Amino acid sequence: MTPLEATLIALAGVCAGAINTVVGSGTLITFPVLIALGYPPVVANASNSIGLVPGGVAGAIGYRRELAGQRKRLLRLGGASLLGGVTGAVLLLVLSPDVFEAVVPVLIVIALILVVAQPWLSRKLASMERHEHGGASAIAAAYGTGVYGGYFGAAQGVLLVGMLGILMDERLQRLNALKNVLTAGVNLVAGLVFVAIADVDWWIVLLIAAGSTAGGILGAKIGRRLPPTVLRGLIVVVGLVAVVLLVID
């Protein structure tokens, strides 16, 4: 690895950490950079998943005010997310990439529709019971996005915020804080599976970890100050970019 390559990977980590904290989809920066530098896809994906964990932790710490009072949610949804992350990581190693990649753009589009329609749907669903701490539907959503995140991870946060915003009666910023913790957990358990089964480049892990940590801190400072409308708009923009990149890949 040359100094230039190391710099590019670290900078990609900074950008990914910031984007993951604010909206998600940071993998769409780090993963293509690693592939462009010639790293095998499985090695790039495994190393990237582990490297982004510190950035997710930094983002969660930055959102600690919005996490206040969400312990029950974390316990209910966290287990489902972790189990999903393990499932997705195993699927990555045993299934053809074409199977999952075919449905990824569809999943992201559905999530974006949910994000845009959340205020309207929230009013329509006001007379229906929605769970404060996450019912069975929210747990299923956490597991499903965990599977997706363990497999690849791009726009995992977009999917999670989109679904939880409909299923749970909560402000978008607090859901974003919850998302940061859950996605960091998915990356961690998926990374542990990769360590046990696949090859990991620890130099990549170190560079992305350092960059994503700085990016996570920066992203939290920016994201916490964004009004819901702006945050929702950023989610839509990043999600649409994710769809385009995945379709043309």
Side-chain angles (χ1 to χ4, degrees):
M1 180 185 300
T2 67
L4 176 59
E5 291 174 341
T7 301
L8 289 174
I9 294 172
L11 288 176
V14 172
C15 296
I19 291 176
N20 275 341
T21 300
V22 178
V23 291
S25 295
T27 292
L28 288 176
I29 296 178
T30 47
F31 186 77
V33 167
L34 295 176
I35 294 300
L37 292 176
Y39 292 96
V42 173
V43 173
N45 196 37
S47 306
N48 178 65
S49 293
I50 302 172
L52 289 176
V53 172
V57 173
I61 293 174
Y63 267 85
R64 60 188 178 278
R65 187 183 308 170
E66 287 76 12
L67 284 171
Q70 300 205 69
R71 181 180 179 183
K72 289 185 178 180
R73 284 178 180 163
L74 288 173
L75 292 176
R76 287 174 181 268
L77 303 181
S81 288
L82 296 179
L83 181 59
V86 173
T87 304
V90 172
L91 289 175
L92 173 66
L93 300 175
V94 301
L95 294 180
S96 168
D98 296 336
V99 176
F100 200 76
E101 289 177 5
V103 301
V104 167
V106 177
L107 293 175
I108 297 177
V109 169
I110 292 174
L112 295 179
I113 292 173
L114 293 177
V115 170
V116 173
Q118 181 187 342
W120 178 82
L121 289 175
S122 295
R123 292 192 296 269
K124 292 295 182 180
L125 296 173
S127 60
M128 300 175 60
E129 180 182 1
R130 289 191 292 168
H131 296 273
E132 180 183 357
H133 298 300
S137 297
I139 293 173
Y143 174 77
T145 53
V147 173
Y148 172 71
Y151 190 92
F152 181 48
Q156 176 189 181
V158 173
L159 287 168
L160 188 58
V161 170
M163 287 189 281
L164 293 185
I166 299 301
L167 299 171
M168 297 170 61
D169 186 13
E170 187 54 274
R171 292 184 293 110
L172 187 60
Q173 286 286 12
R174 283 173 61 81
L175 290 179
N176 200 46
L178 183 65
K179 174 265 294 180
N180 287 333
V181 177
L182 296 181
T183 54
V186 169
N187 283 337
L188 176 60
V189 295
L192 292 176
V193 172
F194 295 144
V195 169
I197 302 177
D199 293 328
V200 174
D201 189 312
W202 291 104
W203 280 112
I204 293 177
V205 172
L206 179 62
L207 290 168
I208 292 180
S212 68
T213 299
I217 296 172
L218 176 63
K221 290 182 179 297
I222 297 173
R224 291 183 68 254
R225 291 172 171 78
L226 293 177
T229 301
V230 174
L231 182 58
R232 188 172 286 108
L234 283 176
I235 292 173
V236 171
V237 170
V238 173
L240 289 175
V241 171
V243 171
V244 172
L245 290 177
L246 290 170
V247 169
I248 66 177
D249 183 30

